[in-house]
Amino acid sequence: MITIIDDDEAVRVATENLVRSLGFATSTFASAEEFLRSPRAGNTACVITDVQMPGMTGIELQNVLRAKGDRTPLIFITAFPEDRVRQQAVAAGAVGFLAKPFEGDAMIACIDRALVAGA
């Protein structure tokens, strides 16, 4: 199961369609808080999350998961690719950091890395 978290429904659906086309089951959430309240938290092979979201950001989600000892691989997607944010995400173990719009092949490579890292 691969989890997709993005407040932009169009991005969420497009990413879900790409991931499903690869043969993976997906679960989607409009917010990090919704994900954390769900049974998927701590029970997913990989999380693809937006960086900038109302409420909890993707970086804050990563910090919460890591503080709980959850090492689920994270892939970040963002319309605002800032080096400082990318470095922070990667330093905390992100397996990908993609600028929107991203190429499908770039996401596939990140998913491959995430599944190897999470194995």
Side-chain angles (χ1 to χ4, degrees):
M1 177 75 60
I2 294 179
T3 298
I4 300 157
I5 307 167
D6 198 309
D7 60 308
D8 183 329
E9 183 179 9
V11 173
R12 199 169 57 243
V13 169
T15 306
E16 177 183 26
N17 289 339
L18 171 65
V19 172
R20 284 189 174 179
S21 76
L22 301 172
F24 296 108
T26 61
S27 58
T28 62
F29 300 93
S31 72
E33 294 90 345
E34 183 184 346
F35 167 69
L36 288 172
R37 288 189 301 266
S38 80
R40 284 285 155 238
N43 187 24
T44 187
C46 171
V47 172
I48 300 168
T49 185
D50 192 6
V51 173
Q52 303 271 338
M53 295 181 286
M56 184 180 291
T57 68
I59 298 296
E60 290 167 339
L61 170 64
Q62 183 183 39
N63 292 338
V64 167
L65 293 174
R66 296 304 181 249
K68 293 179 177 181
D70 185 330
R71 296 286 171 223
T72 301
L74 281 91
I75 299 167
F76 290 91
I77 55 178
T78 184
F80 308 99
E82 299 174 18
D83 277 343
R84 178 188 58 78
V85 176
R86 182 186 58 75
Q87 290 169 355
Q88 183 180 357
V90 170
V95 296
F97 194 91
L98 302 175
K100 294 177 188 177
F102 53 84
E103 294 293 325
D105 289 345
M107 178 59 75
I108 292 167
C110 287
I111 291 169
D112 288 343
R113 281 195 306 275
L115 297 179
V116 167

